[in-house]
Amino acid sequence: MTTWTEPRYDFDFAVAGGGPAGSSAAISLGQQGHSVVLFERETFPRFHIGESLLSTANDAFAALGVTKKIEAACFPKKWGARLYTHDGQSGRYVDFANAWKVTRPQTYQVCREEFDRILLERARDVGVDVREACNVITCEFTSDAAILDVASRGDSATGRVRVRALVDATGRGGMIARKFNLRSEEPRLANIAIYSHYTNVPRLEGPRPDDIRLIARDDAGWFWLIPISKELTSVGVVLPKDLYRRLANGGSSEETLNRTISDTPIVEELMRNARREWPVRVEKDFSYSASAYAGDRWILAGDAGSFLDPVFSTGVSIAMESGIEAADELHRALARNDFSASSFAAFSGRQRKRFETFRRFVVGFYTPQFRDVFFSPEPPKLIFRSVVTMLAGRWNAGLWTRFLNQLFFAMISIQKRFNITPPVFRRDRDAGYPIQTRSEDPIANGAPPLAPPVGQR
C-alpha cells in the first residue's frame, strides 16, 4: 500500500530581490503568517536610482506597516510637480491634491539607500529570513515545488532551497523573464538617462519647495530635478537614443550632461552654483514589458516584469503595489492549493493593464503635440484634473476619469492638425522624437467615446 505524504519545503515562499517590490512581497507574505526567505545579492545600503514617488505609495505604506517609519525618516515632501519649458516661459504646477480619490496627496522624494533599508528591515520585523549578499543562480519548477540554487558572496557557499512558489523581484536583471524569454523591449522608448547628485541647487519658492521639477528641452529630451535630502538634488537628463548620439558626438557622459545643461536656459540658470557630489551615471534602454507576469509556481513583481521611462515617476510606487498584489495572489493560491499559471491569469492581466495605461501617457510624452498641451499654462481644468489623477497613481480610476483622459488624448490628436494651444516645441527631424507608426500611436489607438458613460454626465 502506497502512502501519500505532503512534499517538504524549506519555506512556504521565496523572494529573489530585496528592492521595493521584493521587500513589499515578503512583508505582505510575512504579515499573512507564511514562512518566507528573501535573497538579496547586494549588501544594504546600496545606491539606486528612482527617488520620486506617487501619492498612491501612501496606500502601500499603510498596508506594509511602515507609514510611521517613512514619516520619521524626514524625506523631502512631494505634493506634485512643477512643469517648465526649456526657456522657463511656459509651464505650470501639477498638484496631487486635485486628484480624485487619492487617500493622501502628499508623498515623498526619497534617498533610495535609506528608503530600501526601511522596507528590508520591516521584512525582518515580520519574520522574513532576509539573506543579503546571496544571489539566486538558477531556478527550476516542478509540479510541486520551486527549487532555487543560491550562492553566498561572502564565503562562496552554495545551497539549494525548496519552496512552494517564487516571487521574482530581481529588477532589470529579470531572472525568470530571461529564463523563459518573456521580455519585450519598447523601441519607441529606447532612451538614455544621464544623471548625478548635486548640492547648491536652489529649491522652489513657496510652501512646497521640494516638489520635483520636470523641464522639457526644446527637442525630445527632458530634465528632472529631485530634492532627495536637505542638501542633495538628483539632476538628470533623458534623451531618445538617436538624439543622445547626436548630442554626445563621441564625448564622455559627463561632457554630455554638462552640454545639455548649458544649452537648456532654465536648467543652466538653476545649476549656476551647483556642485556635483557623485560620479555621472548612465542608464540605457530601460523600458520593457513581459508577455506573462506569472507561471507555474512563479510570479514577477516590479521591474522584473516591466518598467517604463521615468518621466512620470511610476517605478517605485508600481513596484510596491505589484509586490503586495503578488503576495495576495500567493496567499490565495496556497489556500486553494493551486499554483498553476492559469490560476494567476487575473494577476497577469492586472499587471499588463497597469503597464499599458501608464505607457500610453509615456509614449505620448515623446511627441511635440503632447508636450504643447501638457505644458500649456491654462489647460482645461476638468480634463487636466483627470490627467493628474492618473499621474498621482490612480491608473485604475473610474469611467468618468477614463473618459476625460480620452478627451485629453483627443486634444493632442487635434493639436497635430490645428493649433488649439500655441506650439512650443520643435517639430524638425533633428528634434529627435521617435518615429511613430499609426499602429504604435497611443492616440490613434484610443479614440474617445462620443458621450460620457451613463450616469456620469
Side-chain angles (χ1 to χ4, degrees), residues 368-380 383 406-424 427 443:
Q369 295 83 14
F370 184 104
R371 295 188 184 198
D372 288 342
V373 175
F374 189 68
F375 284 84
S376 171
E378 297 293 337
I383 291 177
Q406 294 281 46
L407 291 184
F408 172 74
F409 281 100
M411 291 176 61
I412 298 168
S413 185
I414 294 171
Q415 181 73 6
K416 290 182 176 181
R417 298 165 179 82
F418 309 99
N419 293 329
I420 59 175
T421 189
V424 177
R427 267 71 165 163
I443 302 165

PDB file of all heavy atoms in Angstrom, residues 368-380 383 406-424 427 443:
ATOM      1  N   PRO A 368       5.776  66.164 -29.800  1.00  0.00           N
ATOM      2  CA  PRO A 368       5.677  67.592 -29.506  1.00  0.00           C
ATOM      3  C   PRO A 368       4.254  68.042 -29.225  1.00  0.00           C
ATOM      4  O   PRO A 368       4.034  68.964 -28.423  1.00  0.00           O
ATOM      5  CB  PRO A 368       6.245  68.249 -30.768  1.00  0.00           C
ATOM      6  CG  PRO A 368       6.126  67.228 -31.844  1.00  0.00           C
ATOM      7  CD  PRO A 368       6.272  65.903 -31.165  1.00  0.00           C
ATOM      8  N   GLN A 369       3.260  67.397 -29.833  1.00  0.00           N
ATOM      9  CA  GLN A 369       1.876  67.803 -29.611  1.00  0.00           C
ATOM     10  C   GLN A 369       1.435  67.532 -28.169  1.00  0.00           C
ATOM     11  O   GLN A 369       0.738  68.342 -27.553  1.00  0.00           O
ATOM     12  CB  GLN A 369       0.944  67.068 -30.584  1.00  0.00           C
ATOM     13  CG  GLN A 369       1.177  67.434 -32.048  1.00  0.00           C
ATOM     14  CD  GLN A 369       2.324  66.656 -32.670  1.00  0.00           C
ATOM     15  OE1 GLN A 369       2.798  65.665 -32.115  1.00  0.00           O
ATOM     16  NE2 GLN A 369       2.762  67.091 -33.852  1.00  0.00           N
ATOM     17  N   PHE A 370       1.831  66.384 -27.635  1.00  0.00           N
ATOM     18  CA  PHE A 370       1.527  66.080 -26.235  1.00  0.00           C
ATOM     19  C   PHE A 370       2.122  67.163 -25.339  1.00  0.00           C
ATOM     20  O   PHE A 370       1.470  67.668 -24.425  1.00  0.00           O
ATOM     21  CB  PHE A 370       2.091  64.701 -25.881  1.00  0.00           C
ATOM     22  CG  PHE A 370       1.768  64.222 -24.486  1.00  0.00           C
ATOM     23  CD1 PHE A 370       0.802  63.254 -24.270  1.00  0.00           C
ATOM     24  CD2 PHE A 370       2.438  64.728 -23.369  1.00  0.00           C
ATOM     25  CE1 PHE A 370       0.507  62.802 -22.986  1.00  0.00           C
ATOM     26  CE2 PHE A 370       2.164  64.288 -22.090  1.00  0.00           C
ATOM     27  CZ  PHE A 370       1.192  63.321 -21.895  1.00  0.00           C
ATOM     28  N   ARG A 371       3.356  67.515 -25.598  1.00  0.00           N
ATOM     29  CA  ARG A 371       4.030  68.500 -24.746  1.00  0.00           C
ATOM     30  C   ARG A 371       3.388  69.878 -24.879  1.00  0.00           C
ATOM     31  O   ARG A 371       3.278  70.608 -23.896  1.00  0.00           O
ATOM     32  CB  ARG A 371       5.515  68.560 -25.102  1.00  0.00           C
ATOM     33  CG  ARG A 371       6.241  67.273 -24.796  1.00  0.00           C
ATOM     34  CD  ARG A 371       7.738  67.425 -24.981  1.00  0.00           C
ATOM     35  NE  ARG A 371       8.430  66.157 -24.773  1.00  0.00           N
ATOM     36  CZ  ARG A 371       9.720  66.050 -24.537  1.00  0.00           C
ATOM     37  NH1 ARG A 371      10.469  67.125 -24.487  1.00  0.00           N
ATOM     38  NH2 ARG A 371      10.274  64.871 -24.360  1.00  0.00           N
ATOM     39  N   ASP A 372       2.973  70.253 -26.087  1.00  0.00           N
ATOM     40  CA  ASP A 372       2.282  71.525 -26.258  1.00  0.00           C
ATOM     41  C   ASP A 372       1.090  71.620 -25.304  1.00  0.00           C
ATOM     42  O   ASP A 372       0.875  72.645 -24.649  1.00  0.00           O
ATOM     43  CB  ASP A 372       1.776  71.683 -27.695  1.00  0.00           C
ATOM     44  CG  ASP A 372       2.888  71.943 -28.693  1.00  0.00           C
ATOM     45  OD1 ASP A 372       3.994  72.336 -28.283  1.00  0.00           O
ATOM     46  OD2 ASP A 372       2.636  71.753 -29.900  1.00  0.00           O
ATOM     47  N   VAL A 373       0.305  70.543 -25.250  1.00  0.00           N
ATOM     48  CA  VAL A 373      -0.906  70.537 -24.417  1.00  0.00           C
ATOM     49  C   VAL A 373      -0.556  70.371 -22.946  1.00  0.00           C
ATOM     50  O   VAL A 373      -1.084  71.075 -22.077  1.00  0.00           O
ATOM     51  CB  VAL A 373      -1.864  69.414 -24.885  1.00  0.00           C
ATOM     52  CG1 VAL A 373      -3.072  69.302 -23.961  1.00  0.00           C
ATOM     53  CG2 VAL A 373      -2.308  69.652 -26.323  1.00  0.00           C
ATOM     54  N   PHE A 374       0.356  69.447 -22.652  1.00  0.00           N
ATOM     55  CA  PHE A 374       0.681  69.118 -21.263  1.00  0.00           C
ATOM     56  C   PHE A 374       1.334  70.291 -20.537  1.00  0.00           C
ATOM     57  O   PHE A 374       1.087  70.503 -19.347  1.00  0.00           O
ATOM     58  CB  PHE A 374       1.610  67.894 -21.250  1.00  0.00           C
ATOM     59  CG  PHE A 374       1.860  67.321 -19.885  1.00  0.00           C
ATOM     60  CD1 PHE A 374       0.837  66.705 -19.179  1.00  0.00           C
ATOM     61  CD2 PHE A 374       3.124  67.355 -19.309  1.00  0.00           C
ATOM     62  CE1 PHE A 374       1.061  66.154 -17.919  1.00  0.00           C
ATOM     63  CE2 PHE A 374       3.358  66.815 -18.060  1.00  0.00           C
ATOM     64  CZ  PHE A 374       2.323  66.214 -17.367  1.00  0.00           C
ATOM     65  N   PHE A 375       2.168  71.053 -21.234  1.00  0.00           N
ATOM     66  CA  PHE A 375       2.874  72.173 -20.615  1.00  0.00           C
ATOM     67  C   PHE A 375       2.130  73.506 -20.776  1.00  0.00           C
ATOM     68  O   PHE A 375       2.648  74.542 -20.379  1.00  0.00           O
ATOM     69  CB  PHE A 375       4.280  72.305 -21.200  1.00  0.00           C
ATOM     70  CG  PHE A 375       5.242  71.271 -20.692  1.00  0.00           C
ATOM     71  CD1 PHE A 375       5.299  70.012 -21.263  1.00  0.00           C
ATOM     72  CD2 PHE A 375       6.100  71.554 -19.638  1.00  0.00           C
ATOM     73  CE1 PHE A 375       6.181  69.043 -20.790  1.00  0.00           C
ATOM     74  CE2 PHE A 375       6.984  70.604 -19.153  1.00  0.00           C
ATOM     75  CZ  PHE A 375       7.025  69.340 -19.723  1.00  0.00           C
ATOM     76  N   SER A 376       0.946  73.451 -21.336  1.00  0.00           N
ATOM     77  CA  SER A 376       0.165  74.672 -21.505  1.00  0.00           C
ATOM     78  C   SER A 376      -0.148  75.298 -20.151  1.00  0.00           C
ATOM     79  O   SER A 376      -0.569  74.605 -19.215  1.00  0.00           O
ATOM     80  CB  SER A 376      -1.150  74.357 -22.232  1.00  0.00           C
ATOM     81  OG  SER A 376      -2.006  75.479 -22.223  1.00  0.00           O
ATOM     82  N   PRO A 377       0.043  76.626 -19.998  1.00  0.00           N
ATOM     83  CA  PRO A 377      -0.212  77.266 -18.700  1.00  0.00           C
ATOM     84  C   PRO A 377      -1.668  77.215 -18.272  1.00  0.00           C
ATOM     85  O   PRO A 377      -1.957  77.285 -17.081  1.00  0.00           O
ATOM     86  CB  PRO A 377       0.246  78.718 -18.934  1.00  0.00           C
ATOM     87  CG  PRO A 377       1.101  78.684 -20.138  1.00  0.00           C
ATOM     88  CD  PRO A 377       0.587  77.566 -20.985  1.00  0.00           C
ATOM     89  N   GLU A 378      -2.596  77.112 -19.228  1.00  0.00           N
ATOM     90  CA  GLU A 378      -4.015  77.140 -18.902  1.00  0.00           C
ATOM     91  C   GLU A 378      -4.759  75.986 -19.572  1.00  0.00           C
ATOM     92  O   GLU A 378      -5.554  76.187 -20.481  1.00  0.00           O
ATOM     93  CB  GLU A 378      -4.627  78.484 -19.333  1.00  0.00           C
ATOM     94  CG  GLU A 378      -4.069  79.698 -18.633  1.00  0.00           C
ATOM     95  CD  GLU A 378      -4.431  79.726 -17.152  1.00  0.00           C
ATOM     96  OE1 GLU A 378      -5.435  79.085 -16.769  1.00  0.00           O
ATOM     97  OE2 GLU A 378      -3.707  80.383 -16.380  1.00  0.00           O
ATOM     98  N   PRO A 379      -4.536  74.753 -19.119  1.00  0.00           N
ATOM     99  CA  PRO A 379      -5.253  73.623 -19.722  1.00  0.00           C
ATOM    100  C   PRO A 379      -6.694  73.585 -19.211  1.00  0.00           C
ATOM    101  O   PRO A 379      -7.008  74.184 -18.181  1.00  0.00           O
ATOM    102  CB  PRO A 379      -4.466  72.415 -19.206  1.00  0.00           C
ATOM    103  CG  PRO A 379      -3.984  72.863 -17.862  1.00  0.00           C
ATOM    104  CD  PRO A 379      -3.675  74.337 -18.004  1.00  0.00           C
ATOM    105  N   PRO A 380      -7.605  72.908 -19.921  1.00  0.00           N
ATOM    106  CA  PRO A 380      -8.972  72.738 -19.411  1.00  0.00           C
ATOM    107  C   PRO A 380      -8.941  72.060 -18.038  1.00  0.00           C
ATOM    108  O   PRO A 380      -8.390  70.969 -17.893  1.00  0.00           O
ATOM    109  CB  PRO A 380      -9.628  71.851 -20.475  1.00  0.00           C
ATOM    110  CG  PRO A 380      -8.815  72.043 -21.708  1.00  0.00           C
ATOM    111  CD  PRO A 380      -7.415  72.279 -21.238  1.00  0.00           C
ATOM    112  N   ILE A 383     -10.464  68.367 -17.519  1.00  0.00           N
ATOM    113  CA  ILE A 383      -9.697  67.344 -18.221  1.00  0.00           C
ATOM    114  C   ILE A 383      -8.342  67.151 -17.560  1.00  0.00           C
ATOM    115  O   ILE A 383      -7.899  66.019 -17.335  1.00  0.00           O
ATOM    116  CB  ILE A 383      -9.538  67.717 -19.702  1.00  0.00           C
ATOM    117  CG1 ILE A 383     -10.887  67.620 -20.421  1.00  0.00           C
ATOM    118  CG2 ILE A 383      -8.506  66.819 -20.388  1.00  0.00           C
ATOM    119  CD1 ILE A 383     -10.849  68.048 -21.872  1.00  0.00           C
ATOM    120  N   GLN A 406      -9.512  60.275 -22.166  1.00  0.00           N
ATOM    121  CA  GLN A 406      -9.667  60.101 -23.608  1.00  0.00           C
ATOM    122  C   GLN A 406      -9.803  61.457 -24.308  1.00  0.00           C
ATOM    123  O   GLN A 406      -9.255  61.672 -25.393  1.00  0.00           O
ATOM    124  CB  GLN A 406     -10.905  59.241 -23.904  1.00  0.00           C
ATOM    125  CG  GLN A 406     -10.805  57.795 -23.434  1.00  0.00           C
ATOM    126  CD  GLN A 406      -9.986  56.946 -24.385  1.00  0.00           C
ATOM    127  OE1 GLN A 406      -8.915  57.351 -24.826  1.00  0.00           O
ATOM    128  NE2 GLN A 406     -10.476  55.764 -24.702  1.00  0.00           N
ATOM    129  N   LEU A 407     -10.525  62.376 -23.677  1.00  0.00           N
ATOM    130  CA  LEU A 407     -10.658  63.714 -24.253  1.00  0.00           C
ATOM    131  C   LEU A 407      -9.301  64.423 -24.295  1.00  0.00           C
ATOM    132  O   LEU A 407      -9.016  65.182 -25.225  1.00  0.00           O
ATOM    133  CB  LEU A 407     -11.659  64.538 -23.449  1.00  0.00           C
ATOM    134  CG  LEU A 407     -13.123  64.108 -23.535  1.00  0.00           C
ATOM    135  CD1 LEU A 407     -13.999  65.091 -22.752  1.00  0.00           C
ATOM    136  CD2 LEU A 407     -13.596  64.016 -24.975  1.00  0.00           C
ATOM    137  N   PHE A 408      -8.467  64.184 -23.290  1.00  0.00           N
ATOM    138  CA  PHE A 408      -7.121  64.760 -23.277  1.00  0.00           C
ATOM    139  C   PHE A 408      -6.338  64.293 -24.508  1.00  0.00           C
ATOM    140  O   PHE A 408      -5.714  65.094 -25.208  1.00  0.00           O
ATOM    141  CB  PHE A 408      -6.406  64.363 -21.991  1.00  0.00           C
ATOM    142  CG  PHE A 408      -4.950  64.728 -21.952  1.00  0.00           C
ATOM    143  CD1 PHE A 408      -4.551  66.038 -21.781  1.00  0.00           C
ATOM    144  CD2 PHE A 408      -3.970  63.754 -22.085  1.00  0.00           C
ATOM    145  CE1 PHE A 408      -3.211  66.384 -21.750  1.00  0.00           C
ATOM    146  CE2 PHE A 408      -2.624  64.082 -22.040  1.00  0.00           C
ATOM    147  CZ  PHE A 408      -2.244  65.403 -21.872  1.00  0.00           C
ATOM    148  N   PHE A 409      -6.412  63.000 -24.796  1.00  0.00           N
ATOM    149  CA  PHE A 409      -5.703  62.496 -25.971  1.00  0.00           C
ATOM    150  C   PHE A 409      -6.359  62.961 -27.267  1.00  0.00           C
ATOM    151  O   PHE A 409      -5.681  63.109 -28.294  1.00  0.00           O
ATOM    152  CB  PHE A 409      -5.602  60.972 -25.920  1.00  0.00           C
ATOM    153  CG  PHE A 409      -4.511  60.490 -25.004  1.00  0.00           C
ATOM    154  CD1 PHE A 409      -4.803  60.055 -23.724  1.00  0.00           C
ATOM    155  CD2 PHE A 409      -3.186  60.513 -25.412  1.00  0.00           C
ATOM    156  CE1 PHE A 409      -3.790  59.629 -22.867  1.00  0.00           C
ATOM    157  CE2 PHE A 409      -2.174  60.091 -24.571  1.00  0.00           C
ATOM    158  CZ  PHE A 409      -2.467  59.652 -23.281  1.00  0.00           C
ATOM    159  N   ALA A 410      -7.661  63.212 -27.226  1.00  0.00           N
ATOM    160  CA  ALA A 410      -8.314  63.787 -28.401  1.00  0.00           C
ATOM    161  C   ALA A 410      -7.770  65.192 -28.675  1.00  0.00           C
ATOM    162  O   ALA A 410      -7.563  65.578 -29.838  1.00  0.00           O
ATOM    163  CB  ALA A 410      -9.824  63.832 -28.194  1.00  0.00           C
ATOM    164  N   MET A 411      -7.528  65.962 -27.621  1.00  0.00           N
ATOM    165  CA  MET A 411      -6.938  67.289 -27.786  1.00  0.00           C
ATOM    166  C   MET A 411      -5.566  67.199 -28.451  1.00  0.00           C
ATOM    167  O   MET A 411      -5.226  68.008 -29.319  1.00  0.00           O
ATOM    168  CB  MET A 411      -6.809  67.979 -26.425  1.00  0.00           C
ATOM    169  CG  MET A 411      -8.115  68.382 -25.784  1.00  0.00           C
ATOM    170  SD  MET A 411      -7.844  69.088 -24.137  1.00  0.00           S
ATOM    171  CE  MET A 411      -6.824  70.513 -24.526  1.00  0.00           C
ATOM    172  N   ILE A 412      -4.784  66.206 -28.049  1.00  0.00           N
ATOM    173  CA  ILE A 412      -3.450  66.032 -28.639  1.00  0.00           C
ATOM    174  C   ILE A 412      -3.577  65.674 -30.112  1.00  0.00           C
ATOM    175  O   ILE A 412      -2.818  66.170 -30.957  1.00  0.00           O
ATOM    176  CB  ILE A 412      -2.673  64.943 -27.877  1.00  0.00           C
ATOM    177  CG1 ILE A 412      -2.480  65.362 -26.417  1.00  0.00           C
ATOM    178  CG2 ILE A 412      -1.322  64.686 -28.541  1.00  0.00           C
ATOM    179  CD1 ILE A 412      -1.998  64.250 -25.529  1.00  0.00           C
ATOM    180  N   SER A 413      -4.557  64.843 -30.441  1.00  0.00           N
ATOM    181  CA  SER A 413      -4.769  64.470 -31.833  1.00  0.00           C
ATOM    182  C   SER A 413      -5.150  65.693 -32.667  1.00  0.00           C
ATOM    183  O   SER A 413      -4.654  65.872 -33.792  1.00  0.00           O
ATOM    184  CB  SER A 413      -5.873  63.407 -31.912  1.00  0.00           C
ATOM    185  OG  SER A 413      -6.022  62.934 -33.227  1.00  0.00           O
ATOM    186  N   ILE A 414      -5.980  66.552 -32.099  1.00  0.00           N
ATOM    187  CA  ILE A 414      -6.359  67.783 -32.802  1.00  0.00           C
ATOM    188  C   ILE A 414      -5.145  68.696 -32.959  1.00  0.00           C
ATOM    189  O   ILE A 414      -4.968  69.347 -33.995  1.00  0.00           O
ATOM    190  CB  ILE A 414      -7.496  68.491 -32.042  1.00  0.00           C
ATOM    191  CG1 ILE A 414      -8.766  67.639 -32.070  1.00  0.00           C
ATOM    192  CG2 ILE A 414      -7.767  69.871 -32.630  1.00  0.00           C
ATOM    193  CD1 ILE A 414      -9.873  68.151 -31.170  1.00  0.00           C
ATOM    194  N   GLN A 415      -4.289  68.738 -31.919  1.00  0.00           N
ATOM    195  CA  GLN A 415      -3.100  69.590 -31.960  1.00  0.00           C
ATOM    196  C   GLN A 415      -2.168  69.212 -33.107  1.00  0.00           C
ATOM    197  O   GLN A 415      -1.398  70.038 -33.587  1.00  0.00           O
ATOM    198  CB  GLN A 415      -2.361  69.509 -30.614  1.00  0.00           C
ATOM    199  CG  GLN A 415      -1.115  70.358 -30.492  1.00  0.00           C
ATOM    200  CD  GLN A 415      -1.406  71.846 -30.353  1.00  0.00           C
ATOM    201  OE1 GLN A 415      -2.561  72.243 -30.240  1.00  0.00           O
ATOM    202  NE2 GLN A 415      -0.364  72.668 -30.341  1.00  0.00           N
ATOM    203  N   LYS A 416      -2.260  67.963 -33.566  1.00  0.00           N
ATOM    204  CA  LYS A 416      -1.431  67.537 -34.692  1.00  0.00           C
ATOM    205  C   LYS A 416      -1.824  68.238 -35.988  1.00  0.00           C
ATOM    206  O   LYS A 416      -1.018  68.359 -36.907  1.00  0.00           O
ATOM    207  CB  LYS A 416      -1.547  66.017 -34.892  1.00  0.00           C
ATOM    208  CG  LYS A 416      -0.886  65.189 -33.800  1.00  0.00           C
ATOM    209  CD  LYS A 416      -1.003  63.709 -34.109  1.00  0.00           C
ATOM    210  CE  LYS A 416      -0.261  62.863 -33.080  1.00  0.00           C
ATOM    211  NZ  LYS A 416      -0.339  61.421 -33.377  1.00  0.00           N
ATOM    212  N   ARG A 417      -3.081  68.693 -36.052  1.00  0.00           N
ATOM    213  CA  ARG A 417      -3.585  69.291 -37.289  1.00  0.00           C
ATOM    214  C   ARG A 417      -3.902  70.771 -37.144  1.00  0.00           C
ATOM    215  O   ARG A 417      -3.771  71.532 -38.091  1.00  0.00           O
ATOM    216  CB  ARG A 417      -4.832  68.521 -37.734  1.00  0.00           C
ATOM    217  CG  ARG A 417      -4.540  67.050 -38.050  1.00  0.00           C
ATOM    218  CD  ARG A 417      -5.821  66.230 -38.136  1.00  0.00           C
ATOM    219  NE  ARG A 417      -5.535  64.833 -38.454  1.00  0.00           N
ATOM    220  CZ  ARG A 417      -5.176  63.929 -37.556  1.00  0.00           C
ATOM    221  NH1 ARG A 417      -5.042  64.265 -36.288  1.00  0.00           N
ATOM    222  NH2 ARG A 417      -4.936  62.685 -37.920  1.00  0.00           N
ATOM    223  N   PHE A 418      -4.353  71.147 -35.945  1.00  0.00           N
ATOM    224  CA  PHE A 418      -4.709  72.539 -35.690  1.00  0.00           C
ATOM    225  C   PHE A 418      -4.105  72.953 -34.354  1.00  0.00           C
ATOM    226  O   PHE A 418      -4.063  72.163 -33.413  1.00  0.00           O
ATOM    227  CB  PHE A 418      -6.231  72.704 -35.623  1.00  0.00           C
ATOM    228  CG  PHE A 418      -6.960  72.112 -36.790  1.00  0.00           C
ATOM    229  CD1 PHE A 418      -7.544  70.853 -36.684  1.00  0.00           C
ATOM    230  CD2 PHE A 418      -7.057  72.790 -37.987  1.00  0.00           C
ATOM    231  CE1 PHE A 418      -8.225  70.291 -37.748  1.00  0.00           C
ATOM    232  CE2 PHE A 418      -7.723  72.229 -39.061  1.00  0.00           C
ATOM    233  CZ  PHE A 418      -8.307  70.980 -38.949  1.00  0.00           C
ATOM    234  N   ASN A 419      -3.663  74.186 -34.263  1.00  0.00           N
ATOM    235  CA  ASN A 419      -3.030  74.662 -33.041  1.00  0.00           C
ATOM    236  C   ASN A 419      -4.079  75.153 -32.052  1.00  0.00           C
ATOM    237  O   ASN A 419      -4.430  76.334 -32.019  1.00  0.00           O
ATOM    238  CB  ASN A 419      -2.029  75.771 -33.355  1.00  0.00           C
ATOM    239  CG  ASN A 419      -0.844  75.266 -34.149  1.00  0.00           C
ATOM    240  OD1 ASN A 419      -0.450  74.112 -34.005  1.00  0.00           O
ATOM    241  ND2 ASN A 419      -0.295  76.122 -34.992  1.00  0.00           N
ATOM    242  N   ILE A 420      -4.602  74.217 -31.241  1.00  0.00           N
ATOM    243  CA  ILE A 420      -5.556  74.631 -30.214  1.00  0.00           C
ATOM    244  C   ILE A 420      -4.838  75.271 -29.029  1.00  0.00           C
ATOM    245  O   ILE A 420      -5.460  75.932 -28.203  1.00  0.00           O
ATOM    246  CB  ILE A 420      -6.408  73.441 -29.725  1.00  0.00           C
ATOM    247  CG1 ILE A 420      -5.521  72.332 -29.133  1.00  0.00           C
ATOM    248  CG2 ILE A 420      -7.260  72.894 -30.856  1.00  0.00           C
ATOM    249  CD1 ILE A 420      -6.323  71.196 -28.532  1.00  0.00           C
ATOM    250  N   THR A 421      -3.540  75.045 -28.927  1.00  0.00           N
ATOM    251  CA  THR A 421      -2.687  75.765 -27.992  1.00  0.00           C
ATOM    252  C   THR A 421      -1.409  76.124 -28.754  1.00  0.00           C
ATOM    253  O   THR A 421      -1.027  75.396 -29.675  1.00  0.00           O
ATOM    254  CB  THR A 421      -2.365  74.914 -26.745  1.00  0.00           C
ATOM    255  OG1 THR A 421      -1.707  75.709 -25.759  1.00  0.00           O
ATOM    256  CG2 THR A 421      -1.498  73.724 -27.083  1.00  0.00           C
ATOM    257  N   PRO A 422      -0.779  77.237 -28.446  1.00  0.00           N
ATOM    258  CA  PRO A 422       0.402  77.642 -29.234  1.00  0.00           C
ATOM    259  C   PRO A 422       1.478  76.566 -29.236  1.00  0.00           C
ATOM    260  O   PRO A 422       1.829  76.021 -28.188  1.00  0.00           O
ATOM    261  CB  PRO A 422       0.881  78.908 -28.517  1.00  0.00           C
ATOM    262  CG  PRO A 422      -0.332  79.440 -27.830  1.00  0.00           C
ATOM    263  CD  PRO A 422      -1.137  78.245 -27.434  1.00  0.00           C
ATOM    264  N   PRO A 423       2.018  76.222 -30.404  1.00  0.00           N
ATOM    265  CA  PRO A 423       3.105  75.229 -30.458  1.00  0.00           C
ATOM    266  C   PRO A 423       4.367  75.798 -29.828  1.00  0.00           C
ATOM    267  O   PRO A 423       4.788  76.916 -30.146  1.00  0.00           O
ATOM    268  CB  PRO A 423       3.289  74.977 -31.957  1.00  0.00           C
ATOM    269  CG  PRO A 423       2.724  76.189 -32.622  1.00  0.00           C
ATOM    270  CD  PRO A 423       1.638  76.701 -31.740  1.00  0.00           C
ATOM    271  N   VAL A 424       4.964  75.037 -28.932  1.00  0.00           N
ATOM    272  CA  VAL A 424       6.137  75.482 -28.184  1.00  0.00           C
ATOM    273  C   VAL A 424       7.370  74.682 -28.560  1.00  0.00           C
ATOM    274  O   VAL A 424       8.488  75.202 -28.528  1.00  0.00           O
ATOM    275  CB  VAL A 424       5.873  75.379 -26.660  1.00  0.00           C
ATOM    276  CG1 VAL A 424       7.107  75.762 -25.860  1.00  0.00           C
ATOM    277  CG2 VAL A 424       4.684  76.257 -26.270  1.00  0.00           C
ATOM    278  N   ARG A 427       9.451  70.695 -34.215  1.00  0.00           N
ATOM    279  CA  ARG A 427       8.902  69.573 -34.974  1.00  0.00           C
ATOM    280  C   ARG A 427       9.911  69.011 -35.970  1.00  0.00           C
ATOM    281  O   ARG A 427       9.620  68.020 -36.634  1.00  0.00           O
ATOM    282  CB  ARG A 427       7.674  70.023 -35.758  1.00  0.00           C
ATOM    283  CG  ARG A 427       6.331  69.825 -35.078  1.00  0.00           C
ATOM    284  CD  ARG A 427       6.069  70.723 -33.940  1.00  0.00           C
ATOM    285  NE  ARG A 427       4.635  70.692 -33.600  1.00  0.00           N
ATOM    286  CZ  ARG A 427       4.158  71.127 -32.462  1.00  0.00           C
ATOM    287  NH1 ARG A 427       4.979  71.629 -31.533  1.00  0.00           N
ATOM    288  NH2 ARG A 427       2.854  71.083 -32.223  1.00  0.00           N
ATOM    289  N   ILE A 443      -2.556  57.646 -29.300  1.00  0.00           N
ATOM    290  CA  ILE A 443      -3.730  58.494 -29.510  1.00  0.00           C
ATOM    291  C   ILE A 443      -4.659  57.858 -30.532  1.00  0.00           C
ATOM    292  O   ILE A 443      -5.855  57.712 -30.310  1.00  0.00           O
ATOM    293  CB  ILE A 443      -3.285  59.900 -29.958  1.00  0.00           C
ATOM    294  CG1 ILE A 443      -2.359  60.504 -28.900  1.00  0.00           C
ATOM    295  CG2 ILE A 443      -4.468  60.801 -30.202  1.00  0.00           C
ATOM    296  CD1 ILE A 443      -1.592  61.701 -29.367  1.00  0.00           C
TER     297      ILE A 443
END
